[in-house]
Amino acid sequence: MNCHFMGIGGVGMAGVAFLLKKAGHAVTGCDKCASPRTRWLEANGIPVATGHDAAHVAAGVERLVVTPAVPETAPELVAARAANGVAVSFRGEALAELFNAAACGVAICGTHGKTTTATYTARLLRLLGADPSWCIGGEAGSDPVAGVGRGPFVVEADESDGTLALYRARILVITSLDYDHADHFKTHADYLACYDRAAAQAETVIRAETLADGAWPELGRLVLGAHNVRNALCAIAVCRELGFAEDAIRAALPKALADLPDRRFQRIWPPVGEPGAAAFSVIADYAHHPREIACAVEMARSLKPKRLRVLFQPHRHSRTKALKDDFAAVLKTVDELVLLPVYAAFEKPLLGGDAADLYKALRDGETQSGSASSMVKLARNPLEAWRHAFLTRRDGDLVILLGAGDVIGLVPRVLRDMESEGGDSGKIVYVGAGTNTWRSDLATDEIYVKTDGPAGRPGASLGIPWMAGVPGTIGGWTKMNAGAFGHSVSEVIRRVKVDGVWRAAADCGFAYRHSDVVGEIQDVEFDEAKLAAARADGSAADYLAKRKKFPPGTKGSVFKNPPGDFAGRLLEEAGAKTLRVGGARVWEEHANVIVLAPGAPASDFLALARLMAARVLDRFGVTLEPEVQGLQTA
């Protein structure tokens, strides 16, 4: 059969593609970019195209293999659906077919520990001379994701899309059972039922919870963490079920358990020696479920760091929402937590499933306990989170890059910064009065420079009545094209001096609460006739009477008005006035204003703004754009 794999470089897809090729099928694939894994596939005779194109399925392809992450609008999938004779199947379905055709299939499943247990099992069987085939969702050392032998077939059987129920195993290993994948399994009972179907079709079922380590005391020194002891016991149980002697298994254990798969408590820094209390250390861990995070924290604490610092990227909105309180319970045990925006995978935003929702749960717990300081911060992006950890590093810190999303992409930057001692010149942010600028409470590379000179004068000095009561400087007004009552300051501007160069107003990209000006605004020249007309447009007292007086601790309107509507109206109808995070609350007089209590962290403001925007997106389908400079809410 002629098969094409969309996203063939994925850790799960690559192994199935390799095995189908070895089974005699014609296999091609595509992915958004080349990688070591796609180059490995090409070395094994599988052509891989870069990018996605409907033409990939136009020339004799009989089967398109995808994952649930592929949207229905993807070009190859659209073409396959429209074509006659092109079957579409999930990666899990294709692997189950290969597995069920094997004479002796060993399926490793469970909420946690699948990859590690499958790796241990395949290695043990190789060392015992069983010559296994394998397909595992992770690489460890020099082991590729898949291999072909004449013996048992070991697979990591994924339950996330329900295809686990298709497996008919000689041996089924269940490592653990905690509710997960709320996007597919609507209840815990649905989740367990998938495992029950797989177990009913298996000849032998090995459950980790029934295994004892009394006969294998050496496991405590061969692996780190009680969960990895259980994973090793599962691998041993498979080998014993297949008839291998205890002495032979024991002799093979040191090599079989020598290292974990990538991203399973993987040492990033220092490159030599063990991480621990003596130096600044960085670990990457794939944990993305509360139980897995608890194991990662336990392993980290066993190294006795002076400070345990976690940069956590939640994986999928549905999991974040369903397990929010469980996440908060384990994450509050670390010394410092920086939350990154959710890695959505294939999901759309989900009300209640934002990183800000998890932040709120943690902050609510702190405020209820009377904590005077916060151990949790909210980052706008992964790089900001890492730079905070780097810029505030101390000997004895252990930093974990935690999560199953693209947080792993920080590793090259971590190595670069640690090897070069990290110097970035810093992003310069020019501010006037700074009244509408949000500054992170994380240590960042941003350098704030206050504008002096003509552009640094108060905007109120222009004497425009409809701008009465609006704070800020002339330069700040210009950069954000400030305005009120249907007017904008760009109406009276002739030209702007930016970094020493005069630019005509028409070249500044003025739009609603926006300009394209990058750099320092040093001076602004006004059209005197238009300025005079603006000054004559009513009285400042009349306009001030119409304007609500903002309380201390605000930064003005949080969001810009969307075309044809008002952000305040949308926020109020979406119920935003009831929202509060830590020391930040929505002002009871206006739903588009946040009041930050004295001493409250800036992350409270950011989290609340994200929750406000999420309410409007969920209720009206409108994405609000921040008016406060520096915020990132989408």
Side-chain angles (χ1 to χ4, degrees):
M1 180 178 286
N2 191 334
C3 305
H4 183 81
F5 279 69
M6 220 185 141
I8 196 169
V11 70
M13 294 286 272
V16 182
F18 172 86
L19 293 172
L20 281 173
K21 174 69 175 179
K22 292 298 183 181
H25 298 278
V27 179
T28 60
C30 60
D31 214 318
K32 61 183 179 181
C33 59
S35 67
R37 210 171 288 129
T38 61
R39 289 188 282 274
W40 171 72
L41 290 167
E42 288 176 321
N44 281 281
I46 299 175
V48 179
T50 300
H52 296 292
D53 195 313
H56 294 157
V57 297
V61 169
E62 300 168 88
R63 186 181 199 181
L64 177 67
V65 182
V66 298
T67 71
V70 173
E72 286 293 325
T73 55
E76 290 93 338
L77 189 52
V78 170
R81 299 270 195 230
N84 291 322
V86 179
V88 176
S89 62
F90 286 147
R91 169 254 181 202
E93 294 172 321
L95 180 55
E97 290 173 14
L98 287 166
F99 179 85
N100 291 338
C104 179
V106 179
I108 313 294
C109 66
T111 315
H112 324 294
K114 293 185 292 290
T115 305
T116 300
T117 302
T119 297
Y120 287 167
T121 302
R123 279 202 194 136
L124 262 178
L125 289 172
R126 288 202 305 274
L127 290 165
L128 292 168
D131 191 25
S133 298
W134 71 90
C135 188
I136 301 172
E139 292 137 328
S142 60
D143 297 343
V145 293
V148 175
R150 297 184 179 86
F153 185 17
V154 179
V155 302
E156 177 183 342
D158 180 26
E159 81 283 8
S160 64
D161 59 0
T163 54
L164 171 63
L166 301 175
Y167 285 76
R168 298 189 298 274
R170 161 68 178 83
I171 302 173
L172 182 77
V173 177
I174 302 177
T175 61
S176 54
L177 287 174
D178 286 310
Y179 181 47
D180 199 4
H181 305 295
D183 57 302
H184 185 83
F185 301 102
K186 300 310 177 187
T187 68
H188 196 176
D190 293 339
Y191 185 74
L192 296 177
C194 183
Y195 286 92
D196 289 342
R197 287 193 290 273
Q201 295 164 175
E203 291 184 31
T204 300
V205 178
I206 295 172
R207 298 180 184 270
E209 63 193 27
T210 67
L211 303 176
D213 63 355
W216 307 90
E218 64 266 48
L219 295 180
R221 60 178 173 78
L222 292 175
V223 298
L224 184 62
H227 60 293
N228 281 324
V229 170
R230 291 192 297 272
N231 294 336
L233 287 170
C234 288
I236 291 168
V238 169
C239 294
R240 298 200 68 182
E241 176 67 25
L242 292 175
F244 289 96
E246 182 176 314
D247 288 347
I249 295 171
R250 196 179 300 279
L253 282 176
K255 286 187 178 179
L257 310 180
D259 52 20
L260 290 164
D262 289 350
R263 297 186 70 177
R264 274 66 178 182
F265 214 73
Q266 179 183 359
R267 183 182 66 222
I268 306 302
W269 190 267
V272 178
E274 290 299 320
F280 181 79
S281 309
V282 182
I283 294 290
D285 199 284
Y286 191 75
H288 54 284
H289 184 282
R291 184 68 63 86
E292 296 166 354
I293 293 171
C295 290
V297 169
E298 176 191 357
M299 293 170 72
R301 289 291 188 197
S302 73
L303 299 176
K304 303 188 183 308
K306 294 178 181 176
R307 286 195 301 175
L308 178 54
R309 311 174 69 188
V310 171
L311 315 184
F312 176 53
Q313 182 184 47
H315 187 266
R316 296 187 181 175
H317 298 289
S318 58
R319 181 182 287 114
T320 305
K321 180 177 182 178
L323 304 177
K324 178 186 66 180
D325 293 339
D326 296 325
F327 278 120
V330 64
L331 289 169
K332 72 180 183 181
T333 66
V334 306
D335 299 317
E336 183 188 52
L337 171 67
V338 182
L339 291 174
L340 283 59
V342 171
Y343 184 79
F346 57 85
E347 292 184 333
K348 294 180 180 179
L350 178 65
L351 191 66
D354 192 82
D357 291 287
L358 179 53
Y359 176 90
K360 175 176 166 54
L362 285 152
R363 285 289 286 135
D364 287 350
E366 288 181 332
T367 54
Q368 289 170 10
S369 67
S371 175
S373 61
S374 178
M375 51 69 70
V376 59
K377 295 177 173 61
L378 188 59
R380 291 170 289 184
N381 54 68
L383 181 57
E384 181 177 66
W386 159 247
R387 288 297 291 174
H388 165 75
F390 176 78
L391 293 169
T392 58
R393 69 195 184 278
R394 300 201 301 254
D395 284 350
D397 284 354
L398 176 58
V399 176
I400 308 180
L401 309 179
L402 193 68
D406 57 7
V407 64
I408 193 65
L410 287 173
V411 169
R413 182 57 185 259
V414 171
L415 296 174
R416 189 185 104 186
D417 284 349
M418 294 306 300
E419 289 166 356
S420 65
E421 286 300 307
D424 263 12
S425 57
K427 174 188 175 184
I428 295 176
V429 179
Y430 293 101
V431 296
T435 52
N436 75 322
T437 301
W438 177 86
R439 304 189 191 188
S440 176
D441 44 12
L442 280 75
T444 73
D445 296 304
E446 294 175 332
I447 300 170
Y448 291 87
V449 176
K450 184 174 175 58
T451 296
D452 295 318
R457 289 187 293 121
S461 65
L462 295 177
I464 302 174
W466 37 264
M467 291 293 285
V470 177
T473 63
I474 292 174
W477 279 11
T478 300
K479 182 161 283 190
M480 69 169 291
N481 194 19
F485 299 103
H487 294 281
S488 296
V489 74
S490 59
E491 297 171 17
V492 299
I493 293 175
R494 182 190 300 278
R495 60 178 185 160
V496 180
K497 189 177 185 180
V498 184
D499 292 339
V501 178
W502 284 99
R503 292 169 56 177
D507 298 328
C508 291
F510 286 120
Y512 172 69
R513 302 296 177 267
H514 172 80
S515 77
D516 290 338
V517 174
V518 177
E520 182 183 13
I521 295 179
Q522 298 160 317
D523 201 354
V524 181
E525 183 180 289
F526 297 93
D527 184 310
E528 291 301 330
K530 291 181 179 178
L531 183 57
R535 286 170 172 164
D537 185 6
S539 73
D542 289 342
Y543 279 107
L544 278 172
K546 301 175 188 177
R547 185 189 306 281
K548 292 182 183 292
K549 186 176 181 181
F550 290 173
T554 76
K555 296 184 178 298
S557 297
V558 180
F559 297 102
K560 300 177 183 180
N561 290 328
D565 211 331
F566 297 95
R569 183 194 74 81
L570 295 172
L571 287 159
E572 182 150 3
E573 291 197 19
K577 274 191 175 180
T578 64
L579 295 175
R580 174 189 291 268
V581 176
R585 75 178 198 276
V586 178
W587 188 29
E588 57 274 8
E589 295 292 324
H590 199 298
N592 194 22
V593 176
I594 290 176
V595 181
L596 193 66
S603 288
D604 285 358
F605 193 105
L606 175 61
L608 182 52
R610 291 187 69 93
L611 296 184
M612 293 162 68
R615 287 283 185 101
V616 171
L617 180 62
D618 180 72
R619 173 76 179 274
F620 300 105
V622 174
T623 300
L624 292 178
E625 182 181 350
E627 184 168 322
V628 173
Q629 305 300 296
L631 285 181
Q632 182 177 312
T633 57

